[in-house]
Each structure stands twice: as structure tokens, then as C-alpha cells.
Amino acid sequence: MEMNKENQLQIELKEEVAEGTYANLAIIAHSSSEFIFDFVRMMPGVAKAKVKSRIVMTPEHAKRLAYALQDNLRRYEHQFGEIRLPERQELPAGTNGVVKGEA
């Protein structure tokens, strides 16, 4: 991590990372010391979904992420309008309303 003369963080974004990875499901698990975010791509007609990316962070950073996401959603909706969700979000089959991830 490098800081320039004005104490601004310089971040490198490699080309293969800049392209992004599509995910349409996130599974979140946690222990006393970390949060694990698995980003999954589920495809129609395919019985097995694949974890495309896993991010592990401390509880403190997870809370900062939650605040940042909430702030960005608020700003997005201010600019583009409310994001509407169906009344009930369906969880993957066999979860009985509980989604667990293995760390």
C-alpha cells in the first residue's frame, strides 16, 4: 500500500480484476473473528452453482462495508429512483430459510 504526498491511497486495478465477476447470489457466514462472503453464479437449468469469488474480512471491516453499501444504495436511489424488490425473496432449495456457508 502506497500513500502519496497528500496522504491519498494509490490503488492498482489489474485488467483481469477490472472486468468484474458476475454473481447473482451471496452467501454470508461468520465466526467470532471473520466474515466470509461467497459470491455465487446460479445459471438456469444447471443443478450446481459455482462460487465465483470469496472475500474474507474482519467483523469491523464487514460493518464498514455494510455502512458503505447502505450509503451507496441511498445515493443510487436518490439519483435513479427506488430499487423495488419482490415481496418475498426465494432462498435456494433445501435451505429451510437458513443459508449457511463453510469457512
Side-chain angles (χ1 to χ4, degrees), residues 89-102:
Q89 293 291 327
E90 294 295 323
L91 293 173
T95 62
N96 296 322
V98 177
V99 178
K100 295 182 180 179
E102 292 182 22

Side-chain angles (χ1 to χ4, degrees), residues 4-69:
N4 69 14
K5 293 178 183 178
E6 299 172 1
N7 287 333
Q8 292 183 352
L9 179 64
Q10 298 293 307
I11 298 174
E12 178 183 349
L13 182 59
K14 294 181 181 180
E15 187 175 335
E16 64 272 11
V17 175
E19 293 175 6
T21 301
Y22 180 77
N24 52 11
L25 174 68
I27 299 172
I28 303 170
H30 65 275
S31 69
S32 62
S33 60
E34 61 195 12
F35 272 73
I36 300 95
F37 300 87
D38 284 335
F39 295 94
V40 179
R41 183 180 307 158
M42 296 179 7
M43 300 302 288
V46 178
K48 190 174 188 179
K50 294 183 179 181
V51 174
K52 302 307 283 185
S53 183
R54 173 175 277 190
I55 305 295
V56 181
M57 63 180 67
T58 66
E60 294 82 5
H61 282 99
K63 193 163 192 174
R64 287 185 185 103
L65 174 64
Y67 286 149
L69 182 57

